Amino acid sequence: MNDLDTRGRQAAAAIRQAVRETPVGVTRVKRSRALPAFAGGALAAIASMAVAAVITPPEPTSVDQPVTTVIVTTTTLPPASTTTVSPTTVTSAPAVAGVETTVAVDTEPPMIEIISPDDGFETTEERIEFRGITEPGARVFAGPYEADVTAGGEWSIVLILSEGENPARFVAVDKAGNESEAWVTVVLESPEETAKPPETTVPTEPDKTTTTTVVEVEFSAHASFGICSETPPYDVYYGTGTPGMVVEAGSEYGSGRTEVRSDGTWEMKVVFAEAPLGKAFTVNIGTSKGHSKSFSFEYVGE
Amino acid sequence: MFDSVRNTRRMRMNAAAEDPVVVGLESFEAFYAREFRPMVGLAFALSGSRLGAEDIAQEAMMVAHKKWDEVALMERPDAWVRRVVSNMAVSAYRRRLSEARAIARLAGRRSEPIPALEAPDAEFWKAVRALPGKQAQAIALHYIEDMPVAEIAEVLDCSPSTAKVHLFRGRKNLAAALGLEDRS
């Protein structure tokens, strides 16, 4: 016990043991600000509970009810957590005399279409947004990644391409677990190829202008710290917005300005060189399109 | 569109494959599942806060999640996040922030803290935390993560020789503080 390494290893083992004993995981993640992907595991559990609850025949309140029809809906989470319902219609034994329970199952595969990019689309941008439409309520996956789907069924997902041809498969999964798929191939050109002088009559510049679209992105703003002990004190603000939009930070003790990047994100470090010690003040984040959000900041000293 | 941009996925598609199976880059979910607990341990050792360690680890994971497009492309995403965790854990204001959150959490009785360490182990980590920041980080990475000098250098973002100095001085100071023999 008089050896540093012996004590160190023992103390390290104690730390590892203590951490193992602590229940950390999905619930804690969900409590934090934004880790949406982690909802997957919880959703799987919730979905299985929901299915169990739905298919349990309800307690009859009156024997006059001749038929209770239950629609089974479930959530499928490919590839690991999959809850499936056989595509059949089941009529169970009556729960009580005179009451028939029918389970109707949706067997229709969801519609899925890719709106953009077009099949064979060539680009020099490594990052590309795929957009499309599917049945409202369905979920769309590209491999293990889930696309964002609006209530109306419009979906989008940003993926990173490899050089050359990229065949992309998107799978739509409806609430009953039915699947359908759509394919599109996009081509990422190498920088060398794009640097070559054009050998054909196809103009490159006009193509660029016609294929460039500014996607409206919902504005958001977040403060990284809210307090700082370093000198000079600073905070880093970040968020999303429409590409090109100007975002400004203003306060009594410091200001900043930036533009939303082409991928719809922005980030700005603002130094509050004259910030008073221990006194919180307001930092306003505003945009050229009239968005506004306020944060508190406090310099707490070393 | 908000989520579409925030949740930009890193996905390399195999052009040669018939089925575009994702290759290469790890998902944030898998990274989190594997690395979160070790990060909590590192934060616990360096902050000494049974309640704040998870907040620190989670805050670091939040930073990683926000920048996952960049972090996932790094050679050692885990080293990068460990650097964030260890910096946060030894940072005075982060400690205060964690403690403030811890107090709020305790008041709300929303979470069980990490179990307290036995006295000798608690004393060891207390002595580690009393070391200068880089020395404390090097010691924690050396014992908890069992990292060689080259990996400690990667996490601390310094040269291996600098990391070696931090580790050497940390060991020497720690042995003196605890009255132990450093046989290295």
Side-chain angles (χ1 to χ4, degrees), chain A residues 2 4-5 11 16 19 22 28-29 31 37 126-127 129 146 148 160 165 167 225 229 238 263, chain B residues 1 3-5 9 11-12 15 20 29 32 37 54 66 69 93-94 105 111 125 143-144 171 181:
Chain A
N2 290 329
L4 178 66
D5 281 335
R16 286 192 287 267
V19 171
T22 308
R28 290 183 185 279
V29 174
R31 200 182 66 225
E126 191 187 34
R127 181 192 302 253
E129 182 180 45
E146 185 170 5
D148 300 306
I160 305 296
E165 285 196 356
F225 308 123
S229 65
Y238 64 92
D263 68 354
Chain B
M1 295 310 299
D3 283 337
S4 163
V5 175
R9 276 76 168 179
M11 171 174 166
R12 297 276 178 189
E29 291 86 340
Y32 183 100
R37 279 175 191 273
E54 279 183 43
K66 188 160 76 83
D69 283 359
Y93 80 87
R94 278 291 170 191
R105 216 160 47 161
S111 153
W125 291 114
Y143 284 120
I144 295 179
R171 289 177 63 98
E181 187 184 348

Side-chain angles (χ1 to χ4, degrees), chain A residues 119-173:
Chain A
D119 193 35
F121 178 73
E122 295 179 0
T123 180
T124 56
E125 295 290 327
E126 191 187 34
R127 181 192 302 253
I128 187 168
E129 182 180 45
F130 293 83
R131 302 175 71 186
I133 190 160
T134 187
E135 181 180 294
R139 304 168 72 184
V140 175
F141 297 86
Y145 300 102
E146 185 170 5
D148 300 306
V149 185
T150 67
E154 292 175 9
W155 60 265
S156 64
I157 185 169
V158 177
L159 301 175
I160 305 296
L161 305 178
S162 293
E163 201 173 294
E165 285 196 356
N166 293 262
R169 184 173 73 118
F170 299 95
V171 178
V173 184

Side-chain angles (χ1 to χ4, degrees), chain B residues 68-83:
Chain B
W68 191 243
D69 283 359
E70 301 162 35
V71 176
L73 289 175
M74 293 174 181
E75 200 172 320
R76 291 283 307 271
D78 60 312
W80 186 86
V81 180
R82 275 178 175 76
R83 188 186 313 157

Side-chain angles (χ1 to χ4, degrees), chain A residues 54-58 66-70 89-96 98-104:
Chain A
V54 168
I55 63 175
T56 302
V67 175
T68 302
T69 300
V70 182
T89 299
V90 180
T91 302
S92 70
V96 294
V99 178
E100 181 183 1
T101 302
T102 303
V103 178

Side-chain angles (χ1 to χ4, degrees), chain A residues 22-109:
Chain A
T22 308
V24 292
V26 169
T27 53
R28 290 183 185 279
V29 174
K30 286 182 77 183
R31 200 182 66 225
S32 66
R33 280 176 294 179
L35 286 176
F38 275 87
L43 275 177
I46 293 166
S48 59
M49 286 188 288
V51 169
V54 168
I55 63 175
T56 302
E59 289 292 324
T61 52
S62 163
V63 290
D64 294 335
Q65 292 176 298
V67 175
T68 302
T69 300
V70 182
I71 305 299
V72 172
T73 58
T74 183
T75 304
T76 303
L77 295 168
S81 306
T82 304
T83 306
T84 54
V85 175
S86 301
T88 54
T89 299
V90 180
T91 302
S92 70
V96 294
V99 178
E100 181 183 1
T101 302
T102 303
V103 178
V105 181
D106 173 13
T107 59
E108 189 77 19

